[in-house]
Amino acid sequence: MGNQGQGKGGAGSGTKAPAGKSGGGGKGRAGSKGAAGGKGGKKAPAKKGGPGRRAFLLGGTVAVVGTVALARDELARLYWRLPGVERKRVEGVLDHKGAEWTAASRYNWRRADRPDDYVIDRVVIHVVQGSYASALRVFKDPGHGAAAHYVVRKDGHVAQMIRELDVAFHAGNRDMNERSIGIEHEGFVDRPQDFTPAMYAASARLTADICARYGIPVDREHIIGHVEVPGTDHTDPGPHWDWPRYMALVKKERAKLPPVG
């Protein structure tokens, strides 16, 4: 497993890599001569075809109101990110029904408010290079610097360690961490027997659930392996991970869920 997922490392294994570290205005006033009047003190006729001053002012007011509304919404969304302000978390709340909550160390992820501040559009598949118990142990270790949102055991049991709205340090790429949800799987990349039918089924249900909730397309562009993360040197889930089988299962599970929106 890599160290400090915000940097070069990541939560998944199968790697030989060392731990990573973490408009200008014009001249004069427009239309000034027309406004002064013509010969004999008569008023110059109004120009046709352009918006009047009232329309301009009203339009400007609408624009300003709209801008203020957007700014207010943005401030409300970012308020919790101010120093000393944190959005409340309820220990043990699950995003995926049937998972077991077991918290990762606070040093292995950072607070966020996804998908409001970062769009979630990827699922990253990892393999632990070890047991389910070892994955939980290192993700609870504040010195490890990395953790995934979920860990799937060989028998299909799922643990959630980080809320989906928060950013887990799992991919070894900051942009990917912010836009994705990471799923670890018990086992080793060079042992196909570790990828059991129960594991594939449970993981596919989890991924389908994530895709349904965030509107993520069920394809290999949006469901990727750790090895496919830009800039990573990890190899998981490895050559024995059965992508055709897995994607077929995800599509089957996704079809059971209601459409987005």
Side-chain angles (χ1 to χ4, degrees), residues 100-207:
E100 173 192 7
W101 176 257
T102 177
S105 168
R106 180 65 183 81
Y107 292 92
N108 297 333
W109 56 276
R110 64 179 169 86
R111 291 181 184 272
D113 190 19
R114 303 188 307 167
D116 287 343
D117 49 1
Y118 304 109
V119 173
I120 298 175
D121 64 0
R122 296 289 190 278
V123 177
V124 181
I125 302 300
H126 303 261
V127 171
V128 175
Q129 283 299 89
S131 67
Y132 171 86
S134 68
L136 268 56
R137 184 175 64 253
V138 297
F139 292 167
K140 290 173 179 287
D141 178 3
H144 183 60
H149 292 91
Y150 295 96
V151 183
V152 183
R153 203 163 62 193
K154 289 180 185 180
D155 64 1
H157 181 75
V158 178
Q160 180 170 4
M161 304 194 73
I162 300 168
R163 290 292 308 278
E164 291 176 5
L165 77 170
D166 292 320
V167 175
F169 303 159
H170 68 97
N173 175 301
R174 179 167 185 152
D175 175 67
M176 189 60 69
N177 284 343
E178 291 172 347
R179 71 192 302 173
S180 69
I181 292 172
I183 305 176
E184 281 281 1
H185 297 80
E186 178 179 26
F188 295 84
V189 296
D190 57 350
R191 289 175 39 166
Q193 64 271 27
D194 289 345
F195 308 142
T196 65
M199 174 184 283
Y200 275 124
S203 179
R205 282 192 297 271
L206 171 58
T207 296

Side-chain angles (χ1 to χ4, degrees), residues 4 19 40-41 71 198 200 208 246 257:
Q4 187 64 347
Y200 275 124
Y246 185 68
L257 300 172

Side-chain angles (χ1 to χ4, degrees), residues 70-87 110-118:
L70 288 172
R72 185 172 61 245
D73 180 67
E74 182 72 7
L75 286 173
R77 184 172 66 80
L78 298 178
Y79 171 74
W80 67 269
R81 301 178 74 178
L82 295 173
V85 177
E86 289 189 345
R87 186 177 292 274
R110 64 179 169 86
R111 291 181 184 272
D113 190 19
R114 303 188 307 167
D116 287 343
D117 49 1
Y118 304 109

